[in-house]
Amino acid sequence: MSVGVSVIEPGPVLETLLHSAARTAVSGWPDEQALAELRRSGLLATAVPAEYGGAGGDAATVNSVVERVARVNPSVAIILFQHFAVTMRIVEWGTAEQKAALLPAFASGECLAASAWSERGAGAAKKNIATTGSRTPDGRWRLNGAKSFTTGAGVADIYLVLATTAAAHDDRETRNGQNGGNGDSLYGSAGQSFFLVRGDNPGLGVDRSLDLAGMRGSATGFVTLHDCEVPDEDRLGPLGQAPAIIAAVRETGATLGAVSVGIAQAALDVAIDHARRPGPLGTQAARQRLAELSAQVEAARAIVDSAGRRLSATPGTVTLQSKIFASATAEQVCLEVARMLGSTAYVVGHQLNRLIADARAVALMGPTNDLCRELMAASWTN
């Protein structure tokens, strides 16, 4: 049965996620109750095609859902975005067998997906990753390495793992556009491949000892792969062509900028709520400043919507721009609202302080804002 995205409207799910945000900000651990509610909500079906039991939502729908969740719980929104990202990669690059095996489970909430790409020392562009995939005599793959800053670590049922399966090098053909082009050689390297690794694989381990400043409920941690064996049927996309898959990601228009818009709107909501009461935010100057901030939030929402709807002749560039602009807007709005509230927000447990930390985190998530700028600049010189 197809699951509609209307379940994102205000109701039990968002109420649960709202209360969860305060708890996880203190504990630094993901909220199992909130994640269970997320699985039951139908939201995980958003990007799954209807023929596999999903809602058939496009990137614009994904961005809208992610924004609404981020407005109440940015940490869960990040987990949800990563699930959508893996879903879309399987829809685009998966075999018929992979789609039939995984997408219905994604739609039902039985299976939650996560991306495991980043590594310590590899840099934002992930060109020199140390995780390797080697063939075994029986045709399987043996993965060895360690991934850092994996969102959904320990709560995901399947991980999209990036590994080097051949000698990594800066492929000139990639740079000239035969394998992505438009500066795509800046992200990943020829000889890298993707694998779908089950969370219960005995060769996969999880460490959530990271004590994050923001996104504290996002289950972000380390994933280790020690003689982790997977069949060749669980390799996603062409062997050694991970950069082409990565390059296609931003062309879809799904963007982490949606998380930033949700955060910015949440901060603005806090200020508007205070403006309705007697106090410093009830002055004409404060009201006018809030009007300006609301325009900035709406501008960020507009560029995220443009990315999702692929309205530009260069949709990939707009996706990069949307992350840069929306994340900067979110941080600016949060800080400005904090200044306007004065001593009211000068409490550790105040919602606004959580939002500020979460807003800063988005800029550091892959592709980082600095890498987004580099990718944009490279597209103009190639």
Side-chain angles (χ1 to χ4, degrees):
M1 181 178 69
S2 179
V3 181
V5 297
S6 60
V7 291
I8 190 62
E9 295 302 327
V13 178
L14 296 189
E15 189 70 20
T16 298
L17 297 184
L18 179 61
H19 293 304
S20 169
R23 292 195 299 270
T24 58
V26 175
S27 69
W29 288 88
D31 189 322
E32 297 296 338
Q33 177 187 350
L35 293 176
E37 189 69 30
L38 180 69
R39 288 176 184 267
R40 291 191 294 266
S41 70
L43 293 182
L44 298 184
T46 299
V48 175
E51 59 264 37
Y52 295 100
D58 59 8
T61 304
V62 164
N63 290 342
S64 177
V65 169
V66 169
E67 180 200 330
R68 296 191 194 187
V69 173
R71 191 168 174 176
V72 296
N73 193 316
S75 288
V76 172
I78 287 293
I79 293 175
L80 190 59
F81 182 87
Q82 294 299 337
H83 173 82
F84 290 154
V86 177
T87 301
M88 296 169 83
R89 301 297 78 74
I90 294 173
V91 171
E92 294 168 346
W93 298 90
T95 63
E97 292 77 13
Q98 287 171 337
K99 293 176 183 178
L102 294 174
L103 293 180
F106 285 6
S108 69
E110 175 189 347
C111 192
L112 178 66
S115 296
W117 300 9
S118 298
E119 296 183 12
R120 281 184 167 177
K126 300 173 180 61
K127 294 185 68 64
N128 298 306
I129 61 172
T131 299
T132 60
S134 57
R135 284 275 199 178
T136 62
D138 61 357
R140 294 167 65 84
W141 290 91
R142 182 176 292 118
L143 306 180
N144 283 283
K147 298 296 182 180
S148 60
F149 291 96
T150 297
T151 296
V155 301
D157 304 289
I158 195 160
Y159 298 84
L160 181 60
V161 174
L162 180 65
T164 298
T165 50
H169 59 285
D170 192 3
D171 197 314
R172 187 172 298 277
E173 288 187 358
T174 300
R175 190 184 313 123
N176 291 337
Q178 296 181 32
N179 184 21
N182 295 327
D184 296 325
S185 62
L186 289 172
Y187 206 144
S189 178
Q192 294 173 353
S193 305
F194 280 113
F195 295 88
L196 295 161
V197 182
R198 305 278 176 171
D200 60 1
N201 189 307
L204 184 144
V206 172
D207 174 4
R208 289 206 304 250
S209 61
L210 281 172
D211 192 12
L212 301 176
M215 299 294 180
R216 288 176 56 77
S218 64
T220 297
F222 301 98
V223 170
T224 58
L225 304 150
H226 180 68
D227 290 338
C228 181
E229 292 196 6
V230 296
D232 189 56
E233 291 76 17
D234 286 346
R235 174 172 49 83
L236 183 69
L239 180 64
Q241 297 299 309
I245 298 177
I246 296 171
V249 170
R250 58 184 174 273
E251 297 298 324
T252 66
T255 170
L256 276 170
V259 177
S260 295
V261 173
I263 294 171
Q265 185 63 59
L268 186 62
D269 291 343
V270 170
I272 291 173
D273 181 60
H274 279 271
R276 293 191 176 107
R277 313 172 196 170
L281 267 67
T283 66
Q284 181 182 33
R287 290 195 302 270
Q288 290 184 356
R289 181 57 185 145
L290 286 179
E292 293 174 355
L293 293 179
S294 71
Q296 292 177 28
V297 174
E298 195 57 36
R301 181 176 290 114
I303 193 171
V304 166
D305 184 65
S306 176
R309 295 182 187 279
R310 294 171 52 84
L311 299 178
S312 169
T314 56
T317 298
V318 177
T319 302
L320 297 172
Q321 292 170 334
S322 70
K323 182 177 186 289
I324 295 170
F325 184 77
S327 59
T329 298
E331 188 167 355
Q332 179 182 353
V333 170
C334 287
L335 292 173
E336 183 66 19
V337 170
R339 283 192 289 267
M340 295 175 73
L341 291 181
S343 60
T344 302
Y346 196 59
V347 178
V348 171
H350 196 283
Q351 179 189 3
L352 195 57
N353 292 316
R354 301 198 302 269
L355 293 172
I356 290 172
D358 290 345
R360 288 173 174 166
V362 179
L364 301 175
M365 293 178 175
T368 66
N369 281 12
D370 282 347
L371 181 57
C372 287
R373 296 182 185 100
E374 289 296 321
L375 289 167
M376 288 171 56
S379 71
W380 299 328
T381 56
N382 286 344

